[in-house]
């Protein structure tokens, strides 16, 4: 039996993870958390009977406690609630499926508690990658990627000649590598605005930006995909997960989302992971790594594929990747500022208070105003986050 905690159980990744639990009788949920969707969380609690439950708001926690009075489950709230879910005593692995850098503290708490991490929260590594990977090495735990692209890279690396019994923790040890990586090829669908030029994005609506052609994701990640900031964040995440120089990570547009990502080795060989766009595969692979289990769903039918299209990203129109690479090269607290400015801007766009292209403007402004602190500890990272929010509210009034 494997015991699982899920941070963000009512979102897209969390609900699909629970579908996997339903299909496998050797998986048991011991803790759940959500933001605001307490009605769905109540249904999940009644079905999966976790030991610990947490929500964002204290009032929502009180409401959920009343709803669950017949089950005698204590409902916690806020950051302490998230940490309680992350460190649940019986949990073997923690799925971090929450959106945003709010995932940093519970992820670090889970690592310190000796829990393996199924990582679906890229902002954690973007803002605190040096802290997270060092903690993982020190505690000897595995960080198993759940983002489809990073899972694809991880799966492709299994073909380099060495099985990695410690998972991601071992990938940081260069002398353990059997074959040297030349490049990581990180794929992107291009989102709903692929092929458009900057002037065509001046008046796009929230509804248009939320219409992703291939993937079903939450609103924040879908907007990030439309701006390609999401891919920029994934480049930084890949740098930390696979101990790779940021300039050895190349982004390619693959509109059909068939090639989920690939690795090129020093002899020129390229190993890729292909499949249908289904997030259940990387979730289940993380839960059972290194074992593969049967997973129901559509299979890739090569007889129906006439071609696989590859394009280069348009960095003049979609600034997400160059902004992220610039932040990563600068280092210190700059990736936190870049990430938080994006979170702030996307929230304003979703609320209808700014235009789509102003997302880039707000990120660029915050980065230009920031005085970087090198080798930041957690306190520095959180202060940089708060500084960014204050700066943008003062400048833009949102």
């Amino acid at each position: 039996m494997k015991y699982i905690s899920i941070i963000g159980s009512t979102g897209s990744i969390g609900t699909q993870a629970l579908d996997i639990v339903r299909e496998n009788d050797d998986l048991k949920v011991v803790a759940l958390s959500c933001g605001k969707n307490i009605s769905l969380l109540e249904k999940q609690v009644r079905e999966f009977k976790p030991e610990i439950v947490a929500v964002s708001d204290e009032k929502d926690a009180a409401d959920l406690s009343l709803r669950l009075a017949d089950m005698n489950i204590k409902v916690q709230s806020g950051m302490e609630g998230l940490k309680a879910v992350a460190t649940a005593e019986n949990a073997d692995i923690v799925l971090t499926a929450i959106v945003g850098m709010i995932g940093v503290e519970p992820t670090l708490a889970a690592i310190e508690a000796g829990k393996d991490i199924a990582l679906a929260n890229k902002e954690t590594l973007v803002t605190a990658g040096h802290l997270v990977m060092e903690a993982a090495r020190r505690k000897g735990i595995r960080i198993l990627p759940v983002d489809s692209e990073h899972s694809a890279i991880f799966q492709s690396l299994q073909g380099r000649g060495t099985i990695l019994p410690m998972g991601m923790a071992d990938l940081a040890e260069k002398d353990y590598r059997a074959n040297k990586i030349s490049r990581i090829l990180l794929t992107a669908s291009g989102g709903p605005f692929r092929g458009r030029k900057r002037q065509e994005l001046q008046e796009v609506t929230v509804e248009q930006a939320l219409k992703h052609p291939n993937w079903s994701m939450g609103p924040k990640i879908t907007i990030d995909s439309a701006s390609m900031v999401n891919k920029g964040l994934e480049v930084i995440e890949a740098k930390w997960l696979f101990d790779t120089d940021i300039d050895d990570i190349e982004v390619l547009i693959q509109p059909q989302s068939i090639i989920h990502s690939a690795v090129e080795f020093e002899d020129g060989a390229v190993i890729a992971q292909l499949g249908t766009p289904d997030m259940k595969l990387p979730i289940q692979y993380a839960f059972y790594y290194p074992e593969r289990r049967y997973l129901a769903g559509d299979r890739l039918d090569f007889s129906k594929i006439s071609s696989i299209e590859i394009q280069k990203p348009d960095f003049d129109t979609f600034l997400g990747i160059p902004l992220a690479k610039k932040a990563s090269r600068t280092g210190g607290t700059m990736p936190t500022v870049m990430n938080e400015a994006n979170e702030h801007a996307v929230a304003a766009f979703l609320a209808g208070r700014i235009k789509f292209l102003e997302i880039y403007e707000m990120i660029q402004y915050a980065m230009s105003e920031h005085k970087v602190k090198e080798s930041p500890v957690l306190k520095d990272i959180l202060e940089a986050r708060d500084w960014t929010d204050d700066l943008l509210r003062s400048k833009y009034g949102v």
Side-chain angles (χ1 to χ4, degrees):
M1 185 69 70
K2 179 167 284 190
Y3 297 94
I4 299 168
S5 288
I6 301 177
I7 300 175
S9 66
T10 60
S12 175
I13 297 296
T15 53
Q16 291 180 83
L18 291 175
D19 287 340
I20 292 170
V21 173
R22 289 186 183 98
E23 296 299 319
N24 293 276
D25 58 11
D26 59 350
L27 296 177
K28 165 68 177 170
V29 174
V30 297
L32 295 173
S33 82
C34 84
K36 294 286 186 181
N37 194 349
I38 63 172
S39 293
L40 178 54
L41 182 60
E42 178 189 359
K43 293 177 181 178
Q44 292 174 345
V45 170
R46 293 191 179 280
E47 178 179 359
F48 294 99
K49 299 177 176 57
E51 301 164 6
I52 302 170
V53 180
V55 298
S56 295
D57 186 77
E58 190 174 347
K59 290 182 180 178
D60 286 338
D63 183 6
L64 187 59
S65 292
L66 288 175
R67 298 186 187 201
L68 297 173
D70 59 306
M71 297 189 69
N72 194 32
I73 293 179
K74 182 179 179 182
V75 181
Q76 302 187 48
S77 64
M79 183 55 66
E80 292 309 308
L82 288 178
K83 290 180 181 179
V85 170
T87 59
E89 183 178 357
N90 293 329
D92 298 310
I93 188 168
V94 179
L95 172 62
T96 59
I98 199 169
V99 176
M101 67 174 292
I102 193 174
V104 172
E105 292 183 76
T107 302
L108 286 170
I111 293 170
E112 290 300 327
K115 314 296 183 184
D116 285 341
I117 306 295
L119 186 72
N121 173 246
K122 61 180 64 65
E123 294 87 354
T124 289
L125 288 186
V126 169
T127 60
H130 62 298
L131 300 179
V132 171
M133 298 310 291
E134 172 56 33
R137 283 190 287 268
R138 176 166 44 81
K139 298 295 291 189
I141 65 96
R142 302 187 296 188
I143 298 180
L144 300 157
V146 170
D147 273 348
S148 62
E149 296 83 358
H150 301 87
S151 178
I153 295 164
F154 184 45
Q155 292 177 61
S156 297
L157 286 171
Q158 306 312 306
R160 67 173 168 178
T162 299
I163 298 298
L164 304 172
M166 287 294 289
M168 301 309 302
D170 281 337
L171 287 172
E173 299 299 332
K174 292 184 179 179
D175 59 356
Y176 195 79
R177 295 180 173 183
N179 293 294
K180 187 178 178 182
I181 297 172
S182 175
R183 287 186 300 166
I184 286 176
L185 303 171
L186 193 70
T187 60
S189 70
F193 303 139
R194 177 177 57 86
R196 296 197 194 186
K197 295 302 180 182
R198 192 173 182 83
Q199 61 270 22
E200 298 176 86
L201 301 178
Q202 295 284 353
E203 302 298 331
V204 297
T205 66
V206 172
E207 290 73 22
Q208 289 171 326
L210 287 173
K211 290 182 179 178
H212 196 282
N214 298 339
W215 296 93
S216 175
M217 303 177 291
K220 194 268 183 182
I221 298 177
T222 306
I223 300 301
D224 284 350
S225 178
S227 68
M228 293 203 72
V229 168
N230 188 55
K231 204 54 53 177
L233 300 179
E234 288 179 2
V235 169
I236 300 175
E237 182 183 9
K239 166 196 166 181
W240 289 112
L241 281 173
F242 306 110
D243 190 31
T244 303
D245 189 277
I246 198 80
D247 293 315
D248 290 333
I249 303 170
E250 181 179 350
V251 176
L252 299 172
I253 305 296
Q254 208 287 286
Q256 304 105 318
S257 294
I258 293 173
I259 302 174
H260 295 155
S261 277
V263 176
E264 179 185 275
F265 296 95
E266 61 181 344
D267 62 356
V270 176
I271 297 180
Q273 190 260 326
L274 284 68
T276 57
D278 184 354
M279 282 305 301
K280 289 182 181 178
L281 192 155
I283 296 169
Q284 181 168 287
Y285 190 69
F287 283 170
Y288 284 110
Y289 172 79
E291 179 186 358
R292 290 189 182 272
R293 291 280 186 97
Y294 174 79
L295 180 66
D298 295 336
R299 267 39 179 179
L300 196 59
D301 187 344
F302 284 93
S303 67
K304 295 180 180 179
I305 300 172
S306 58
S307 65
I308 295 179
E309 187 178 358
I310 302 289
Q311 302 170 0
K312 289 186 176 181
D314 177 0
F315 294 141
D316 294 326
T317 300
F318 299 96
L319 305 181
I321 296 169
L323 284 171
K325 284 198 170 187
K326 180 179 180 180
S328 180
R329 291 189 191 104
T330 303
T333 49
M334 188 62 84
T336 296
V337 171
M338 182 264 171
N339 177 79
E340 186 62 22
N342 178 64
E343 288 193 28
H344 192 109
V346 169
F349 175 68
L350 285 169
R353 294 197 288 268
I354 67 169
K355 293 183 177 181
F356 181 75
L357 290 178
E358 288 183 281
I359 294 173
Y360 299 134
E361 180 184 319
M362 293 174 78
I363 296 171
Q364 288 172 312
Y365 175 70
M367 290 176 64
S368 70
E369 293 294 308
H370 184 58
K371 294 182 180 179
V372 175
K373 186 161 189 177
E374 298 180 2
S375 303
V377 297
L378 180 59
K379 179 176 178 289
D380 300 322
I381 291 168
L382 298 179
E383 287 178 352
R385 175 198 64 189
D386 295 342
W387 175 89
T388 304
D389 284 334
D390 291 343
L391 177 77
L392 295 177
R393 287 193 195 98
S394 175
K395 172 71 172 179
Y396 293 93
V398 294

